Coordinates of all heavy atoms in Angstrom, one line a residue:
E469 N -68.6 -230.8 -180.5 CA -68.7 -229.7 -179.6 C -67.7 -228.6 -180.0 O -66.6 -228.8 -180.4 CB -68.4 -230.1 -178.2 CG -69.5 -231.1 -177.6 CD -69.1 -231.5 -176.2 OE1 -68.1 -231.1 -175.7 OE2 -69.9 -232.2 -175.6
P470 N -68.2 -227.3 -179.9 CA -67.3 -226.2 -180.3 C -66.1 -226.1 -179.3 O -66.2 -226.4 -178.2 CB -68.2 -224.9 -180.0 CG -69.6 -225.5 -180.1 CD -69.5 -226.9 -179.5
T471 N -65.0 -225.8 -179.9 CA -63.8 -225.6 -179.2 C -63.9 -224.2 -178.4 O -64.2 -223.2 -179.0 CB -62.5 -225.5 -180.1 OG1 -62.5 -226.7 -180.8 CG2 -61.3 -225.3 -179.3
P472 N -63.7 -224.2 -177.1 CA -64.0 -223.0 -176.3 C -63.2 -221.8 -176.8 O -63.7 -220.6 -176.7 CB -63.5 -223.4 -174.9 CG -63.6 -224.9 -174.9 CD -63.3 -225.3 -176.3
A473 N -62.0 -222.0 -177.4 CA -61.2 -220.8 -177.8 C -61.6 -220.3 -179.2 O -61.0 -219.3 -179.7 CB -59.7 -221.3 -177.9
C474 N -62.6 -220.8 -179.8 CA -62.9 -220.5 -181.1 C -64.0 -219.4 -181.2 O -65.0 -219.6 -181.6 CB -63.4 -221.7 -181.9 SG -62.1 -222.8 -182.3
G475 N -64.0 -218.3 -180.7 CA -64.9 -217.2 -181.0 C -66.3 -217.4 -180.5 O -66.7 -218.4 -179.9
E476 N -67.1 -216.4 -180.6 CA -68.5 -216.3 -180.0 C -69.5 -217.1 -180.9 O -69.3 -217.4 -182.0 CB -68.9 -214.9 -179.8 CG -69.2 -214.1 -181.1 CD -68.0 -213.4 -181.7 OE1 -66.9 -213.8 -181.4 OE2 -68.2 -212.5 -182.5
A477 N -70.6 -217.4 -180.2 CA -71.6 -218.2 -180.9 C -72.5 -217.3 -181.7 O -72.4 -216.1 -181.6 CB -72.5 -218.9 -179.8
G478 N -73.3 -217.9 -182.5 CA -74.3 -217.1 -183.3 C -73.7 -216.6 -184.6 O -74.4 -215.9 -185.4
R479 N -72.5 -217.0 -185.0 CA -71.9 -216.6 -186.3 C -72.2 -217.6 -187.4 O -72.3 -218.8 -187.1 CB -70.4 -216.4 -186.1 CG -70.0 -215.4 -185.1 CD -68.5 -215.4 -184.8 NE -67.7 -215.2 -186.0 CZ -66.4 -215.3 -186.1 NH1 -65.7 -215.8 -185.1 NH2 -65.8 -215.1 -187.3
T480 N -72.4 -217.1 -188.6 CA -72.8 -217.9 -189.7 C -72.0 -217.5 -190.9 O -71.8 -216.3 -191.2 CB -74.3 -217.9 -190.0 OG1 -75.0 -218.2 -188.9 CG2 -74.6 -218.8 -191.2
V481 N -71.5 -218.5 -191.7 CA -70.7 -218.3 -192.9 C -71.5 -219.0 -194.0 O -72.0 -220.1 -193.8 CB -69.3 -218.8 -192.8 CG1 -68.6 -218.9 -194.1 CG2 -68.5 -217.9 -191.8
F482 N -71.6 -218.4 -195.2 CA -72.2 -219.0 -196.3 C -71.1 -219.7 -197.2 O -70.1 -219.0 -197.4 CB -72.9 -217.9 -197.2 CG -73.9 -218.5 -198.2 CD1 -75.2 -218.6 -197.9 CD2 -73.5 -218.9 -199.4 CE1 -76.1 -219.1 -198.8 CE2 -74.4 -219.5 -200.3 CZ -75.7 -219.5 -200.0

Side-chain angles (χ1 to χ4, degrees):
E469 294 180 356
T471 303
C474 289
E476 68 270 24
R479 299 171 60 190
T480 303
V481 167
F482 196 97

